[in-house]
Amino acid sequence: MSDVPGFGEELLQSTREAFGPDGALARSDPRYRERVIQTELAAAVARAVSQREVLVAEAGTGVGKTFAYLVPALLGGGRVLVSTATKSLQDQLFLRDLPHVRDALGLPLRTALLKGRGSYLCLHRMEQARHSALLPDRWSVRALARIEQWAQGTRSGDLAELPGLDERSPVIPLVTSTRDNCLGTDCPSYRSCHVMNARREALAADVVVVNHHLFFADLALRETGMVELLPTVDVVVFDEAHQLAEAGVQFLGATLGTGQILDLARDLLGAGLQHARGLRDWQALAAGIERAARELRLAAAGPLRDNRGLIKLRWQERATREAFSAALQALADAGQGAHEAVLAVAGSAPDFTRLAERTEQLVQRAQDFAEPALPGHVRWIDLGPQQARLVESPLDIRDTMREQIDASGKAWIFTSATLGDDDRLSWFTEPAGLEDARTLRVGSPFDYAAHACVYVPRRFPKPNEPAHPGAVAELAGRLAGILGGRSFVLTTTLKALATVADGLRAAFDEAGLPIKVLQQGDAPKRQLMQDFLAEPRAVLVGSQSFWEGIDVPGEALQCVVIDKLPFPPPHDPLIEARVRRLEAEGRNAFNDLFVAEAAVALKQGAGRLIRTESDRGLLVVCDPRMATMSYGRRLRAALPPMRWLETEEEASAWLAELAGSPAVD
């Protein structure tokens, strides 16, 4: 990247030319159309790249923000790191968007894709899985056989290449490595290691695509390869930046999970029996760790039984109980016994060196959680049906991001369709420590006023009333019936999801409508989306994971029903800690946290409706507070400029119009 005077004007000019009607993008794609707001965004990115500034840019749906940051970033001539929210978005960016822009600009750039180690096949652990008796059923045996066959031809080792592999398969943890069980240079398959090959390619590339989790995992653990990569790049772009803060707090703290402990017990038993059979009672040692993990899970659950979803518990609800303290101590003791046994046979195999580090870390982590939390951190317990996870986390990513930005002379670009509901984008910039960054908001090019309507029923059960989920199902059933399906129902809780889905099935059965109800949890997310697209007479009911990152253009989706305003759960320990901090600063936590969070989440959910210039649809928010409460004005303003409907009759008439006519051109 050049520091020559005039470089900024040169980059700005070349960027504008690329987006022009006769520019590189138009020449590479006959469907390309120049958009003023896309060029405006690209020009702002070009300025940040040339002057090595920090830019936070919100770009509405349809702006084309990916091309808007890729073009100036690639034309800038420096090394570029792009981070996005999920692995699927990573693949889309790397396999589709980045090659298109690179080739359109005619730039001979080397590109690389870098994911976390859990995405890559570990040859050593695949060999271990073949000879172990740990495969739970015949389907797992078949899955392992498919992986072994694919392994012979893959170059990258990225399991995403293997079609039909269920991301929930129990085989995946057996054939991938973690930071805990990776043997590093002691691994017999180190020379062929897919993880190390991916890191080497990333270090040699001009443009590297990563994800937010990988970025923060490296800042916390210094082991993903980013520690060498980040100092060498000139431009860092965070796409889908609205997910950055939550990804960060997951990795910048500390966790102790019973699943992680059981994995350690399994690996200890496998290595002991394979390399040091008879030298120690490996079964007893592993059983001791497993027993301690189960006791910790029971102590974390306390009086709760049969919880089917994930529950977040306040730390003090359990930490003051004697059984909880005893469980932590028992875990530390079991870990210490295993650590001593592993050290005694450490020279037998490389596996034991890593096991010694893992058992030592287990003891230390158990002891740490027996002590008070660090200042500025909050603790809680994630309790699932089978596992418990102890978590200590900072309240936000402010200090980490400021440290990274202040220590470098890079350009930092943060962009998303939803970063706040004010011009300073405070919802995002404050917790990220970016209050001094330059901000930009560009709206969507879509004609929302003509193509989309929103309906908020005023006479409706309140969200906290028992009748509310049933009323949501009845209203959604009537509206979806007009379209013959083609609808999403987005709920704010998993509990409401099940109630609404059951209510919809009953409503369709009673009305004699052959509309299928697809429910989150009944199949993997990808499969549910495939089923929805394949079956137009369907309604998909989903919770948090379906509020964003879902792209259903055209007539396949013309109605989105949201059960209630997506305020964050007030009893979430992290939310409670943030409330206490805001109140200590003399601020209004409801306005500055709860309403701000709801505005962003509402924009995300509403964003599922209109995906292209010709899409038309109806958004329904089944929460009268949006129409009656004073903060409802702020939430309504956060939405795109849709036409407001006052009655269900008007909403039904709009859907009837959509059902009887094709999408507009």
Side-chain angles (χ1 to χ4, degrees):
M1 182 171 297
S2 174
D3 291 320
V4 176
F7 172 70
E9 290 76 9
E10 180 183 331
L11 178 58
L12 181 60
Q13 180 63 28
S14 59
T15 296
R16 291 189 182 279
E17 289 175 356
F19 284 95
D22 301 315
L25 296 177
R27 292 194 300 271
S28 68
D29 184 358
R31 298 169 300 176
Y32 174 80
R33 296 291 182 272
E34 183 181 12
R35 298 178 186 142
V36 174
I37 53 177
Q38 184 183 40
T39 305
E40 179 186 354
L41 175 58
V45 174
R47 171 182 164 181
V49 168
S50 62
Q51 300 186 12
R52 304 206 173 191
E53 293 181 336
V54 181
L55 172 68
V56 179
E58 181 181 82
T61 305
V63 168
K65 62 182 171 61
T66 305
F67 283 20
Y69 66 70
L70 280 178
V71 169
L74 301 190
L75 288 174
R79 299 192 71 202
V80 180
L81 178 72
V82 182
S83 178
T84 192
T86 65
K87 289 187 287 187
S88 60
L89 289 173
Q90 235 185 313
D91 289 333
Q92 176 181 307
L93 180 63
F94 180 75
L95 297 173
R96 189 187 71 184
D97 299 332
L98 179 56
H100 180 91
V101 173
R102 177 197 60 195
D103 295 345
L105 297 176
L107 298 173
L109 300 174
R110 293 182 61 178
T111 62
L113 181 69
L114 183 60
K115 299 179 180 179
R117 62 168 67 251
S119 296
Y120 298 99
L121 174 68
C122 174
L123 298 171
H124 176 59
R125 287 181 60 78
M126 181 180 69
E127 183 73 19
Q128 286 183 319
R130 180 188 300 127
H131 297 294
S132 74
L134 297 174
L135 297 175
D137 49 47
R138 65 178 183 274
W139 291 281
S140 297
V141 175
R142 292 173 186 168
L144 179 60
R146 288 187 61 222
I147 292 172
E148 288 178 326
Q149 183 178 9
W150 165 78
Q152 298 174 17
T154 181
R155 179 180 173 274
S156 72
D158 186 347
L159 289 166
E161 293 178 357
L162 188 54
L165 180 63
D166 190 339
E167 59 191 17
R168 303 175 298 180
S169 170
V171 174
I172 292 179
L174 301 179
V175 298
T176 57
S177 68
T178 66
R179 178 176 180 267
D180 289 336
N181 59 36
C182 176
L183 302 182
T185 55
D186 292 328
C187 179
S189 301
Y190 181 75
R191 289 183 178 274
S192 305
C193 177
H194 292 301
V195 173
M196 297 311 301
N197 287 339
R199 292 178 183 174
R200 282 192 287 268
E201 289 184 8
L203 286 170
D206 302 297
V207 185
V208 184
V209 180
V210 301
N211 60 63
H212 302 343
H213 288 87
L214 183 69
F215 179 84
F216 283 108
D218 179 71
L219 297 185
L221 305 174
R222 301 288 194 230
E223 68 92 35
T224 67
M226 293 265 296
V227 67
E228 297 92 0
L229 177 63
L230 191 57
T232 69
V233 302
D234 302 289
V235 180
V236 181
V237 180
F238 289 102
D239 198 350
E240 299 297 315
H242 66 280
Q243 294 193 22
L244 196 62
E246 291 309 310
V249 297
Q250 290 182 37
F251 284 94
L252 298 178
T255 61
L256 178 61
T258 56
Q260 166 193 6
I261 299 166
L262 292 173
D263 287 345
L264 171 59
R266 181 192 63 203
D267 293 344
L268 175 70
L269 178 60
L273 295 181
Q274 184 176 355
H275 301 296
R277 184 185 293 269
L279 298 182
R280 289 291 186 276
D281 190 346
W282 301 109
Q283 289 184 330
L285 290 165
I289 293 177
E290 289 178 353
R291 184 166 53 252
R294 287 195 299 270
E295 290 299 322
L296 181 60
R297 166 66 177 75
L298 289 172
L304 296 175
R305 294 291 183 269
D306 299 327
N307 59 299
R308 298 183 180 180
L310 181 66
I311 300 174
K312 232 173 191 178
L313 299 172
R314 296 184 185 91
W315 184 253
Q316 291 306 315
E317 290 183 48
R318 298 291 182 265
T320 56
R321 292 172 178 255
E322 185 176 338
F324 189 78
S325 300
L328 279 174
Q329 185 59 53
L331 180 60
D333 293 342
Q336 185 61 40
H339 181 65
E340 292 170 0
V342 169
L343 286 179
V345 296
S348 304
D351 303 65
F352 290 121
T353 302
R354 195 70 190 96
L355 281 168
E357 296 173 359
R358 292 171 66 186
T359 50
E360 182 179 28
Q361 183 187 54
L362 172 64
V363 173
Q364 186 61 55
R365 192 62 55 83
Q367 293 173 343
D368 288 345
F369 274 104
E371 299 295 328
L374 294 172
H377 285 58
V378 60
R379 281 183 182 171
W380 69 88
I381 299 171
D382 285 333
L383 184 66
Q386 306 295 331
Q387 300 183 24
R389 221 166 54 104
L390 315 186
V391 184
E392 179 175 318
S393 165
L395 299 189
D396 53 41
I397 60 172
R398 170 187 298 271
D399 293 342
T400 299
M401 292 308 302
R402 285 270 32 117
E403 178 183 349
Q404 293 299 314
I405 292 172
D406 291 345
S408 72
K410 307 181 195 330
W412 296 79
I413 315 297
F414 302 85
T415 185
S416 170
T418 49
L419 290 174
D421 65 333
D422 63 340
D423 289 339
R424 291 300 304 157
L425 302 172
S426 305
W427 175 85
F428 175 76
T429 55
E430 281 193 15
L434 302 176
E435 295 95 328
D436 296 332
R438 189 159 57 90
T439 58
L440 173 70
R441 301 180 77 188
V442 292
S444 171
F446 299 160
D447 188 354
Y448 282 97
H451 294 173
C453 297
V454 59
Y455 168 53
V456 178
R458 289 174 176 266
R459 294 184 178 181
F460 206 79
K462 296 178 181 177
N464 60 350
E465 294 178 352
H468 183 264
V472 172
E474 291 174 5
L475 176 58
R478 291 193 296 271
L479 298 176
I482 299 171
L483 290 171
R486 295 188 280 164
S487 302
F488 272 9
V489 181
L490 302 177
T491 68
T492 54
T493 65
L494 290 173
K495 182 179 179 181
L497 181 147
T499 305
V500 170
D502 290 342
L504 275 171
R505 293 187 185 98
F508 292 145
D509 287 344
E510 184 177 346
L513 295 174
I515 298 176
K516 186 176 183 180
V517 177
L518 303 171
Q519 180 178 342
Q520 177 182 332
D522 288 348
K525 181 177 179 180
R526 183 182 301 175
Q527 184 62 51
L528 285 173
M529 288 307 305
Q530 290 174 352
D531 293 345
F532 181 82
L533 293 171
E535 174 53 78
R537 299 186 67 83
V539 175
L540 191 151
V541 185
S543 191
Q544 185 175 6
S545 60
F546 284 87
W547 281 68
E548 57 182 286
I550 301 294
D551 190 12
V552 185
E555 296 182 4
L557 177 61
Q558 292 193 303
C559 182
V560 172
V561 178
I562 293 175
D563 71 334
K564 60 183 178 181
L565 293 175
F567 289 114
H571 301 303
D572 182 304
L574 188 56
I575 296 297
E576 288 181 330
R578 289 171 176 168
V579 167
R580 288 193 295 270
R581 182 173 64 180
L582 287 170
E583 291 177 343
E585 295 171 354
R587 298 171 63 179
N588 186 313
F590 182 74
N591 287 330
D592 293 350
L593 177 59
F594 287 93
V595 178
E597 290 275 353
V600 169
L602 192 62
K603 287 170 69 174
Q604 284 289 344
R608 300 315 98 215
L609 185 64
I610 304 297
R611 306 302 300 174
T612 72
E613 293 177 352
S614 62
D615 285 2
R616 299 195 295 173
L618 172 70
L619 172 69
V620 182
V621 183
C622 301
D623 193 331
R625 295 175 296 179
M626 191 166 177
T628 60
M629 301 301 289
S630 59
Y631 56 79
R633 185 180 299 107
R634 177 177 171 186
L635 296 176
R636 294 193 296 271
L639 291 175
M642 303 177 180
R643 182 161 54 95
W644 282 79
L645 305 179
E646 295 297 329
T647 66
E648 184 178 337
E649 288 71 23
E650 290 179 321
S652 298
W654 171 242
L655 290 182
E657 180 181 336
L658 299 186
S661 62
V664 298
D665 294 326

